[in-house]
């Protein structure tokens, strides 16, 4: 799985801090508190991991971006501090590009790119042109469900964290990390060949077929149980029941149809009463319409009388005001006190206040007011007389309408009583036969719908049987693939040899006279056998020295990557080691320091030539020649010539 880091860019509050990662081997060394370990954590953070927030990270870092190559794609992974999403942008030489906001860990319910990309782990597998591996959840049950391995599980073997170097061993043997321990072993099984992509595809297909077969069989079983409960388990039984009900229906219809077509007619006792009620209803409706029209006419005349009365009062006030103020001359406006201005263009009959032609526009003010007033009074009296007549007519009409309503109500009640009492023997028999016919017709329709169900159950069972055959075929394919994977045993044996060789070459104490390594095929925990003696074998959990635990873990990771590179096994092509010499003092264990780095450079010049190595340590020991390209950076928290990760940040 080709993954190569190019650079890391830190967006801080006051500056952008670039970090070059393009070299085959990058070594960051220096003093405590300079941010060396944060480089590894930030790489892991861009790949979906967690971020330990040191004071500098917490105070200054805003976002981080990782530029890398995955498969044939150039990709930029950007993630803000505290965010659970990663912005990914990629392209390749074929002109294919894309951009997506992907969850860092928890997969989204819907795909964010394509059909199967739900988080950043899926995106990495997608860009590496690799199907995410799946393994059985239970290693005991053959029909156990499959679970996916994510990039986070592979990272246990590609990023050796400083905090866990001397306390765990890839989660292989810690009881309190049971779930992670199982997945850690699954990664080893997959990488070392106990699991191939073909085997993975066969097991995924087997799970799909097994799930489909179970669903069909369960559906067929439930439908058959339902049919048997009502004795409908076969087409023959359903056809017999349907034929029986069809015969009954024919007999009933043969009895009912002649009576339905009888031309003789007997009048119903309620026919005459119904006719009277209809006639009375028509009369009542016409009277109600007349009453409504009369009410509207009274309302209109009352409104007109009110308007005429108002006009008469306004006329009286206007005449009185004109008479009272006819000889008065205003020097100032009676409303606002503004001096009244005279106009040379004003006619002698115009009002000197408002300048309106009062005499022309108000003829009643010059002598006709009495005539108008008399006309209004006469009109008001006529309207009053008309309203009184209409009100009297309204009272009479209301009495008539109420009487008609009472009469119709009595007739309606009488009709209801007659209908309730009328239930002749013929009508009761007809109703019963109609109910029987409706019941038989509905039952026959139900039988018609149920008729295909036994055949459908048989089809489901046949499909289930065919899927069982397909399931058996896939099991044989899986077994054949497993037989082909006998080379996995050779891979493990090679890992044992390479691991033993690494322990011996580095010069771990007690292994000067030879060493063998044996890896348990169930627990996958390596046992170190000094001089090949099983009686004094020990594993990582038996070592009391913290420095020994660190070297055991680091050398095992290097050996695993070596075997994967030599044999073309599916392993990410990078290894990040944070402090490989943790708990190992250089002054007293100088030979271990030199032995480890000498062995590392030998691997980098041979088996690990295509594997990117990023090391973080307190000290740096360079290669003895120029055959290996190493980019090293010395970091201190307070030296401007060798600045820390965030160059302007100085604690305290």
């Amino acid at each position: 799985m080709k993954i190569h880091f190019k650079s890391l860019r830190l967006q801080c509050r006051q500056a952008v801090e670039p970090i070059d990662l393009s070299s085959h081997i990058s070594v960051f060394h220096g003093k405590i508190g300079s941010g060396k370990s944060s480089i590894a954590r930030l790489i892991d953070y861009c790949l979906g991991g967690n971020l330990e927030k040191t004071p500098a990270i917490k105070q200054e870092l805003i976002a981080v971006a990782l530029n890398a190559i995955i498969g044939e794609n150039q990709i930029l992974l950007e993630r803000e501090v505290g965010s659970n999403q990663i912005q990914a942008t990629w392209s390749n030489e074929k002109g294919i590009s894309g951009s997506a906001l992907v969850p860092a860990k928890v997969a989204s319910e819907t795909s964010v790119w394509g059909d199967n990309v739900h988080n950043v782990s899926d995106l990495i597998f997608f860009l590496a042109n690799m199907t995410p591996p799946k393994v059985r959840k239970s290693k005991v049950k053959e029909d156990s469900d499959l679970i996916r391995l994510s990039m986070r599980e592979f990272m246990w073997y590609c990023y050796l964290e400083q905090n866990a170097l001397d306390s765990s061993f890839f989660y292989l043997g810690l009881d309190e990390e049971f779930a992670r321990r199982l997945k850690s072993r699954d990664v080893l099984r997959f990488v070392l060949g106990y699991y191939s992509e073909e085997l993975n595809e066969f097991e995924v297909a087997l799970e799909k077929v097994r799930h489909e077969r179970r669903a069909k069989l369960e559906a067929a079983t439930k439908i058959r149980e339902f049919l048997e409960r009502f004795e409908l388990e076969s087409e023959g039984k359903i056809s017999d029941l349907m034929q029986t009900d069809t015969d009954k229906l024919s007999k009933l219809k043969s009895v009912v149809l002649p009576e339905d077509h009888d031309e003789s007619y007997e009048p119903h006792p309620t026919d005459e009463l119904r006719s009277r009620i209809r006639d009375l209803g028509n009369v009542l409706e016409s009277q109600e319409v007349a009453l409504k029209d009369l009410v509207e006419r009274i309302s209109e005349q009352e409104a007109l009388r009110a308007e005429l009365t108002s006009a008469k009062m306004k006329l009286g006030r206007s005449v009185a005001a004109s008479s009272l103020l006819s000889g008065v001359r205003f020097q100032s406006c009676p409303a606002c006190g503004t001096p009244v201005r005279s106009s040379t263009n004003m006619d002698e009959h115009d009002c000197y206040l408002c300048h309106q032609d009062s005499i022309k526009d108000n003829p009643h003010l010059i002598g006709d007011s009495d005539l108008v007033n008399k006309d209004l009074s006469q009109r008001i009296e006529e309207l009053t007389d008309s309203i009184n007549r209409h009100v009297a007519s309204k009272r009479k009409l209301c009495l008539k309408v109420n009487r008609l309503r009472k009469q119709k109500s009595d007739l309606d009640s009488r009709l209801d009583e007659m209908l309730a009492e009328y239930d002749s023997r013929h009508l009761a028999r007809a109703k019963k036969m109609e109910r029987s016919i409706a019941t038989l017709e509905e039952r026959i329709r139900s039988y018609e719908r149920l008729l295909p169900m036994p055949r459908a159950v048989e089809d489901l069972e046949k499909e289930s049987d065919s899927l069982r055959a397909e399931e058996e075929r896939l099991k044989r394919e899986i077994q054949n693939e497993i037989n082909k994977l006998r080379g996995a045993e050779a891979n493990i044996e090679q890992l044992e040899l390479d691991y033993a060789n690494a322990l011996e070459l580095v010069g771990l104490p007690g292994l000067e006279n030879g060493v063998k390594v044996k890896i348990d095929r169930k627990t996958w925990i390596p046992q170190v056998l000094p001089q090949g003696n099983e009686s004094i074998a020990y594993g990582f959990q038996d070592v009391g020295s913290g420095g020994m635990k660190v070297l055991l873990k680091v050398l095992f990771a290097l050996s695993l990557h070596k075997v994967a590179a030599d044999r073309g096994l599916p392993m990410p092509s990078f290894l990040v080691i944070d402090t490989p010499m943790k708990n190992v003092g250089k002054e007293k264990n100088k030979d271990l320091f030199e032995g480890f780095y000498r062995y590392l450079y030998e691997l980098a010049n041979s088996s690990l030539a295509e594997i990117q190595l990023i090391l973080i340590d307190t000290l740096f020991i360079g290669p003895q020649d120029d055959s290996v390209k190493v980019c090293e950076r010395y970091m201190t928290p307070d030296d401007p010539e060798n600045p820390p990760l965030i160059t302007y940040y100085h604690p305290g």
Side-chain angles (χ1 to χ4, degrees):
M1 189 189 309
K2 180 182 177 181
I3 301 178
H4 187 86
F5 306 129
K6 304 296 291 182
S7 64
L8 195 67
R9 186 181 77 248
L10 280 64
Q11 179 64 54
C12 301
R13 298 186 184 279
Q14 300 182 24
V16 176
E17 303 289 353
I19 301 171
D20 184 20
L21 302 173
S22 58
S23 298
H24 180 197
I25 303 177
S26 299
V27 181
F28 300 92
H29 61 101
K31 295 182 180 181
I32 297 174
S34 57
K36 304 185 302 296
S37 295
S38 294
I39 296 175
R41 296 191 191 105
L42 290 170
I43 294 174
D44 185 55
Y45 187 62
C46 290
L47 297 177
N50 296 323
L51 179 62
E52 182 178 337
K53 295 183 180 179
T54 63
I57 296 295
K58 187 176 182 180
Q59 296 177 30
E60 301 299 328
L61 185 62
I62 298 174
V64 59
L66 177 64
N67 196 328
I69 298 175
I70 300 179
E72 303 299 325
N73 301 275
Q74 293 274 354
I75 186 170
L76 179 65
L77 298 169
E78 301 172 282
R79 187 176 180 184
E80 295 181 359
V81 175
S83 174
N84 292 322
Q85 293 182 312
I86 299 173
Q87 179 64 50
T89 306
W90 65 92
S91 62
N92 56 32
E93 294 181 353
K94 297 179 181 179
I96 300 174
S97 61
S99 180
L101 186 64
V102 295
K105 289 185 178 179
V106 180
S108 63
E109 295 182 0
T110 58
S111 177
V112 297
W113 184 266
D115 296 329
N116 299 309
V117 176
H118 297 269
N119 58 12
V120 70
S121 174
D122 293 340
L123 181 62
I124 292 173
F125 284 121
F126 168 75
L127 295 178
N129 197 24
M130 178 178 175
T131 302
K134 290 187 177 182
V135 295
R136 285 194 300 270
K137 185 176 182 180
S138 172
K139 306 303 181 284
V140 179
K141 296 181 180 179
E142 185 177 316
D143 59 349
S144 172
D145 295 334
L146 295 180
I147 57 175
R148 297 171 56 144
L149 291 178
S150 73
M151 189 64 189
R152 301 311 310 160
E153 279 83 59
F154 282 88
M155 287 296 290
W156 295 336
Y157 298 92
C158 298
Y159 170 38
L160 310 189
E161 300 181 62
Q162 183 186 60
N163 295 338
L165 268 175
D166 55 357
S167 60
S168 66
F169 195 70
F170 300 112
Y171 302 99
L172 288 177
L174 300 178
D175 292 336
E176 63 272 16
E177 295 283 0
F178 181 74
R180 304 177 84 181
R181 177 179 58 177
L182 293 180
K183 285 194 174 183
S184 181
R185 296 174 184 177
D186 288 334
V187 172
L188 283 179
R189 292 176 69 245
F190 180 80
V191 171
L192 293 173
Y194 272 91
Y195 234 73
S196 67
E197 290 189 16
E198 290 78 7
L199 180 60
N200 180 39
E201 292 176 359
F202 283 136
E203 290 197 339
V204 171
L206 177 61
E207 182 188 31
K208 182 179 179 181
V209 170
R210 183 180 291 128
H211 176 75
E212 187 177 355
R213 180 183 64 80
R214 288 174 179 173
K216 290 182 180 296
L217 185 59
E218 184 179 356
T221 302
K222 289 184 177 180
I223 295 174
R224 187 173 291 281
E225 289 176 354
F226 169 79
L227 295 175
E228 289 178 352
R229 187 186 309 167
F230 298 97
E231 299 181 352
L232 303 170
E233 63 273 13
S234 67
E235 291 185 25
K237 286 191 175 183
I238 296 176
S239 298
D240 292 342
L241 291 171
M242 186 166 60
Q243 186 60 45
T244 301
D245 287 343
T246 302
D247 295 340
K248 291 180 181 179
L249 180 62
S250 298
K251 290 180 181 180
L252 282 175
K253 287 186 175 181
S254 65
V255 175
V256 173
L257 285 176
E259 295 183 3
D260 288 346
H261 291 80
D262 191 0
E263 295 181 357
S264 61
Y265 173 74
E266 295 181 2
H268 196 282
T270 60
D271 287 347
E272 182 180 354
L273 185 57
R274 291 175 188 269
S275 179
R276 288 178 57 192
I277 292 174
R278 281 195 295 271
D279 294 340
L280 185 60
N282 293 334
V283 174
L284 177 60
E285 183 179 1
S286 63
Q287 294 299 317
E288 287 178 340
V289 171
L291 178 61
K292 182 179 179 183
D293 293 340
L294 188 57
V295 171
E296 291 179 355
R297 193 175 301 115
I298 292 173
S299 178
E300 291 174 357
Q301 289 184 351
E302 287 179 342
L304 180 57
R305 184 177 62 180
E307 290 181 3
L308 293 176
T309 303
S310 177
K312 182 178 178 182
M313 293 177 63
K314 290 180 180 179
L315 177 61
R317 286 197 298 269
S318 297
V319 172
S322 298
S323 301
L324 180 63
L325 301 176
S326 60
V328 179
R329 302 291 292 182
F330 289 93
Q331 294 182 350
S332 300
C333 177
C336 62
T338 303
V340 177
R341 297 179 180 178
S342 60
S343 175
T344 57
N345 298 326
M346 185 175 64
D347 190 81
E348 62 178 346
H349 300 296
D350 292 345
C351 177
Y352 71 94
L353 285 176
C354 62
H355 297 175
Q356 297 294 324
D357 188 358
S358 59
I359 296 177
K360 182 173 63 175
D361 293 341
N362 300 284
H364 60 276
L365 295 178
I366 57 177
D368 294 339
S369 60
D370 292 338
L371 182 60
V372 173
N373 189 38
K374 183 178 179 180
D375 184 55
L376 289 174
S377 298
Q378 184 179 358
R379 183 59 179 155
I380 290 171
E381 290 176 0
E382 292 174 354
L383 287 173
T384 302
D385 183 60
S386 177
I387 290 171
N388 292 335
R389 289 196 305 271
H390 287 324
V391 169
S393 299
K394 175 185 173 185
R395 283 196 296 267
K396 294 179 181 180
L397 194 55
C398 285
L399 292 174
K400 186 176 181 180
V401 168
N402 290 335
R403 186 172 63 253
L404 290 173
R405 287 175 179 172
K406 177 67 169 57
Q407 187 178 356
K408 185 176 182 300
S409 177
D410 294 341
L411 292 177
D412 287 338
S413 300
R414 184 179 174 188
L415 177 62
D416 292 340
E417 292 175 0
M418 292 182 67
L419 290 173
E421 293 174 358
Y422 179 77
D423 191 7
S424 66
R425 187 182 310 170
H426 168 76
L427 189 59
R429 178 173 173 270
K431 288 182 177 179
K432 181 179 180 181
M433 295 185 71
E434 287 176 359
R435 286 195 297 268
S436 299
I437 290 173
T439 301
L440 288 172
E441 288 177 342
E442 182 59 32
R443 190 184 299 171
I444 291 171
R445 285 194 291 269
S446 299
Y447 287 147
E448 290 175 349
R449 290 192 293 267
L450 290 172
L451 192 60
M453 293 190 70
R455 192 179 308 154
V457 172
E458 293 177 0
D459 292 341
L460 284 174
E461 291 174 340
K462 290 179 181 178
E463 291 175 5
S464 177
D465 293 339
S466 64
L467 288 173
R468 184 181 291 278
E470 177 66 12
E471 186 177 338
E472 293 300 325
R473 185 192 70 80
L474 287 171
K475 287 181 179 180
R476 290 193 299 271
E477 294 287 353
I478 289 173
Q479 187 58 47
N480 293 336
E481 190 64 28
I482 290 176
N483 293 336
K484 294 178 183 178
L485 296 178
R486 299 304 180 190
E489 188 63 29
N491 292 336
I492 298 176
E493 292 175 357
Q494 186 62 48
L495 178 60
E496 291 173 336
L497 291 175
D498 288 342
Y499 190 26
N501 186 46
L503 295 173
E504 189 172 357
L505 288 176
V506 172
L508 265 68
L511 306 178
E512 297 85 356
N513 299 322
V515 61
K516 288 185 177 180
V517 171
K518 184 176 181 180
I519 298 177
D520 192 312
R521 287 352 182 226
K522 292 184 178 180
T523 65
W524 293 90
I525 298 176
Q527 293 289 316
V528 180
L529 285 63
Q531 303 176 22
N533 190 348
E534 293 188 7
S535 62
I536 56 175
Y538 61 86
F540 68 92
Q541 70 272 31
D542 304 318
V543 178
S545 169
M548 284 285 285
K549 285 185 178 181
V550 170
L551 287 173
L552 285 175
K553 183 171 184 178
V554 171
L555 294 176
F556 182 83
L558 285 172
S559 301
L560 179 61
H561 279 267
K562 178 180 182 301
V563 173
D566 290 341
R567 295 177 173 260
L569 303 179
M571 190 74 178
S573 60
F574 69 90
L575 177 60
V576 180
I577 307 176
D578 189 357
T579 319
M581 292 291 105
K582 182 181 179 182
N583 299 332
V584 180
K586 182 182 179 183
E587 298 300 328
K588 297 182 180 180
N589 299 283
K590 184 177 180 181
D591 53 340
L592 283 178
F593 263 85
E594 294 176 349
F596 170 76
Y597 278 99
R598 182 172 59 252
Y599 175 68
L600 177 70
Y601 294 137
E602 288 177 1
L603 289 181
N605 202 26
S606 55
S607 297
L608 302 187
E610 301 298 325
I611 305 300
Q612 185 178 18
L613 299 171
I614 299 176
L615 280 75
I616 295 156
D617 214 338
T618 54
L619 299 175
F620 169 67
I621 298 178
Q624 296 179 353
D625 52 38
D626 296 333
S627 59
V628 180
K629 182 181 179 182
V630 180
C631 177
E632 60 92 13
R633 175 180 170 181
Y634 180 62
M635 301 171 65
T636 64
D638 50 10
D639 183 2
E641 297 296 326
N642 300 286
L645 178 63
I646 301 177
T647 55
Y648 66 84
Y649 178 80
H650 300 287

